[in-house]
């Protein structure tokens, strides 16, 4: 297999992907955009404040991406996660994978998201529209430690 392209980043800017390049080795391309929902546990929010231990989060994201390349035979992987305040309806994460076959691309995308939530030190704190609503944070836990009702996209 050719050398794979691997890019991970954490940013405070709105997310985007580079222009698509034609790669004859990539028979499948899957993009996943995780978008902040307007409701958190049934309560309306204006957005989510994400914070991370940036060096550790980027390290864990890179390890995850490199593992995915080997596990699924990916030719390209891009993982970008946003931190800071992300308004409802905007993306907090984008995962782009390319592989020779569609089954590998779809499986890799789902596996990456599942593993990212379990291993990458990124915390989320919903900002409720009604500031008097109970909650306010995701229990101060790692994103990966959140119960399923608090998990994002």
């Amino acid at each position: 297999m050719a050398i794979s392209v691997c890019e991970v980043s954490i940013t405070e800017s709105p997310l985007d992907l580079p222009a698509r390049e034609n790669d004859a080795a990539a028979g499948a391309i899957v993009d996943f955009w995780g978008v902040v929902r307007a409701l958190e546990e049934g309560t309306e929010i204006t957005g989510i404040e994400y914070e991370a231990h940036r060096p550790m989060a980027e390290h864990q994201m890179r390890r995850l991406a490199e593992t995915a390349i080997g596990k699924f035979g990916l030719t390209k992987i891009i993982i970008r996660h946003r931190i800071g305040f992300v308004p409802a309806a905007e993306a907090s994460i984008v995962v782009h994978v390319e592989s020779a076959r569609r089954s590998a691309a779809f499986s890799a995308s789902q596996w990456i998201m599942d593993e990212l939530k379990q291993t990458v030190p990124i915390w989320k704190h919903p900002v409720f529209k009604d500031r008097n609503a109970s909650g306010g944070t995701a229990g101060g836990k790692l994103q990966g430690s959140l119960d399923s009702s608090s998990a994002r996209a």
Side-chain angles (χ1 to χ4, degrees):
M1 176 179 16
I3 296 173
S4 297
V5 175
C6 176
E7 176 199 321
V8 300
S9 64
I10 294 176
T11 181
E12 294 178 14
S13 300
L15 299 175
D16 64 354
L17 283 172
R20 197 174 127 227
E21 300 170 4
N22 294 327
D23 179 1
I29 300 170
V30 172
D31 292 332
F32 171 80
W33 294 83
V35 177
V36 174
R37 294 181 299 265
L39 294 176
E40 181 78 12
E41 297 181 15
T43 304
E44 194 171 359
I45 64 171
T46 59
I48 295 178
E49 184 75 35
Y50 288 95
E51 64 177 301
H53 183 278
R54 194 179 211 135
M56 180 57 78
E58 287 178 338
H59 172 77
Q60 288 297 106
M61 286 169 62
R62 178 158 305 281
R63 286 185 60 200
L64 181 64
E66 290 169 354
T67 300
I69 287 170
K71 182 176 178 87
F72 298 98
L74 303 178
T75 57
K76 185 173 189 176
I77 181 170
I78 299 171
I79 305 172
R80 294 180 177 169
H81 201 301
R82 192 167 165 191
I83 59 172
F85 182 75
V86 181
E90 289 191 21
S92 60
I93 186 165
V94 62
V95 175
H96 172 93
V97 296
E98 297 183 16
S99 69
R101 304 274 181 224
R102 74 174 185 264
S103 62
F106 281 117
S107 295
S109 182
Q110 183 167 359
W111 181 85
I112 290 162
M113 284 304 303
D114 291 345
E115 290 296 312
L116 185 138
K117 288 185 172 194
Q118 295 298 315
T119 62
V120 179
I122 297 175
W123 297 264
K124 69 179 221 176
H125 307 280
V127 178
F128 292 92
K129 194 168 192 175
D130 175 4
R131 299 245 180 222
N132 295 324
S134 63
T137 71
K141 298 180 188 174
L142 279 176
Q143 187 170 294
S145 301
L146 300 175
D147 65 349
S148 60
S149 66
S150 298
R152 69 180 158 81

